[in-house]
Amino acid sequence: MKRKLAVLGLCLVAAGCTADQWERFPGPDDVIALVPWFVTMHRGIAIQPYKWPIPRMPVEGTVPVTGNEPVLRVTPANLPAIDALRNPVERTARSIERGHDRYDIFCLPCHGAGGAGDGPVNEKLLVTPSLLTQRARDLTDGYLYTYIRHGGAIMPAYGARIFGEDRWHVVNYVRLLQGAAQ
Ligand code: HEC
């Protein structure tokens, strides 16, 4: 009996067990895989929906909820569209908390903890404006949002690091700083 098992074992090895199959007791899939013309799910044809050459297109009328937001740089021609953006996020405690978190990571280095333009990086950069001026208060939420996304002449774009709603949370937090400074 022992001999027969040993022979069976050897046959399995000869038939090409992979290292990880060797380490565990063979399951039904392993046995079926030994027969070359049997197809297991592991090796079978699978549909890869996003793979070239036939990526499956989204259903018509699909609205992107993340990602595909059209580029809208801060240029004079774009100002009407930028200022028309409506802040969809209410200034709740949760929004402020999240905005505060993102602000301290991405904006504080230049604009300072309170928004006065006195962050540690600005000791070298020297040109960061205060976010507490009347000019900054008069900027629309849409403008702040777009500035975060695309940056300015010197200010880097944070669109790739602060995503979707988080940008509005930062806007809400900047508004809070402006309110607190008044
Ligand atoms: C590397 C330094 C730096 C960082 C980080 C930075 N900014 Fe700025 N920011 C600037 C500079 C410099 C300007 C002046 C305009 C310009 O040259 O882009 C500016 C301008 C602005 C303005 C005013 C635009 C105007 O037209 O008056 C806003 C609003 C603003 N930043 C918000 C933010 C917010 C929110 C963050 C965090 C997501 C942030 N900034 C991060 C450097 C920075």
Side-chain angles (χ1 to χ4, degrees):
M1 185 64 189
K2 255 190 185 165
R3 239 208 184 137
K4 272 187 185 161
L5 271 178
V7 170
L8 181 71
L10 272 178
C11 285
L12 283 171
V13 176
C17 293
T18 63
D20 97 304
Q21 280 167 339
W22 175 241
E23 272 161 27
R24 61 192 165 90
F25 196 78
D29 240 22
D30 302 316
V31 177
I32 286 177
L34 295 177
V35 185
W37 58 87
F38 274 6
V39 172
T40 61
M41 279 178 78
H42 191 63
R43 297 185 304 145
I45 298 166
I47 296 168
Q48 307 289 343
Y50 300 108
K51 222 172 178 184
W52 195 248
I54 346 167
R56 225 192 299 175
M57 299 314 283
V59 178
E60 211 175 306
T62 306
V63 178
V65 287
T66 57
N68 289 338
E69 205 177 342
V71 172
L72 188 64
R73 289 185 204 295
V74 185
T75 63
N78 283 341
L79 281 182
I82 289 171
D83 289 334
L85 291 175
R86 288 285 157 261
N87 186 344
V89 180
E90 228 182 296
R91 214 210 281 180
T92 58
R94 239 188 98 243
S95 167
I96 293 299
E97 194 188 324
R98 180 68 181 165
H100 187 172
D101 177 75
R102 298 293 94 180
Y103 181 94
D104 281 2
I105 294 171
F106 295 108
C107 319
L108 179 152
C110 294
H111 289 282
D118 54 357
V121 170
N122 203 46
E123 283 169 20
K124 294 260 162 23
L125 196 65
L126 298 176
V127 290
T128 312
S130 166
L131 296 176
L132 310 175
T133 57
Q134 193 55 47
R135 180 196 143 72
R137 283 175 213 279
D138 291 342
L139 299 171
T140 59
D141 281 7
Y143 188 95
L144 296 183
Y145 174 92
T146 308
Y147 225 85
I148 294 170
R149 234 186 117 199
H150 291 298
I154 300 171
M155 182 174 139
Y158 286 93
R161 278 164 278 182
I162 306 176
F163 304 107
E165 276 204 346
D166 275 355
R167 297 179 202 143
W168 292 115
H169 294 320
V170 173
V171 170
N172 285 343
Y173 183 67
V174 170
R175 292 302 188 208
L176 181 92
L177 290 178
Q178 292 174 339
Q182 222 159 19

